[in-house]
Amino acid sequence: MPGNFRPFAYALAAALIAGCSTLKVGRDFDYNAFASRVELGTTTAAQVMDWVGAPAGKGVEVGTDRTRLDVWNYYYGTGKIPSGSNTSFKLLQVKLNQEGKVAAYVWTGDMAGAPVEDKSSGK
């Protein structure tokens, strides 16, 4: 099992054993702090760390054109086990080019109040 997911598996197993308890996975982060400031091709890895902290995991994405991006993963989830009630999960993947600048990002979670301005064309 990859090292990044081992803590998640342990937490899930412990919650299942505990019965109807609340499960928390990952570390909470502020997506709005990231999305309101990020500028593709300009924002640095150091700025991302400043805004949302150290990533929970890191990986690599290799495109069809062999372009390599470093991927930083941030995730946080809560919910009742085993009922699954009151669950929420959010995931932010920040993709950094070889110069250490944000090339792209993927957000999955509650979009209520989240800035969704299209910055893909650059400013």
Side-chain angles (χ1 to χ4, degrees):
M1 180 179 302
N4 291 339
F5 293 103
R6 193 169 288 137
F8 173 75
Y10 291 148
L12 181 59
L16 290 173
I17 292 169
C20 193
S21 62
T22 300
L23 171 69
K24 290 186 181 180
V25 178
R27 182 179 40 85
D28 202 2
F29 60 91
D30 186 355
Y31 168 71
N32 290 330
F34 172 81
S36 64
R37 299 178 192 162
V38 67
E39 295 292 333
L40 300 180
T42 303
T43 300
T44 66
Q47 289 174 302
V48 173
M49 286 264 238
D50 233 17
W51 302 335
V52 291
K58 294 181 180 182
V60 175
E61 176 179 296
V62 179
T64 56
D65 63 352
R66 302 268 188 226
T67 302
R68 177 190 163 111
L69 299 174
D70 292 325
V71 180
W72 288 6
N73 296 299
Y74 297 87
Y75 58 86
Y76 181 69
T78 61
K80 297 256 186 216
I81 301 295
S83 69
S85 64
N86 298 322
T87 60
S88 67
F89 189 80
K90 60 184 179 178
L91 170 70
L92 173 63
Q93 290 186 313
V94 179
K95 300 178 180 189
L96 302 162
N97 62 25
Q98 293 305 292
E99 290 79 39
K101 304 221 174 152
V102 176
Y105 64 91
V106 178
W107 164 254
T108 303
D110 179 12
M111 293 304 290
V116 292
E117 175 186 349
D118 180 5
K119 296 183 180 183
S120 60
S121 62
K123 287 187 176 179

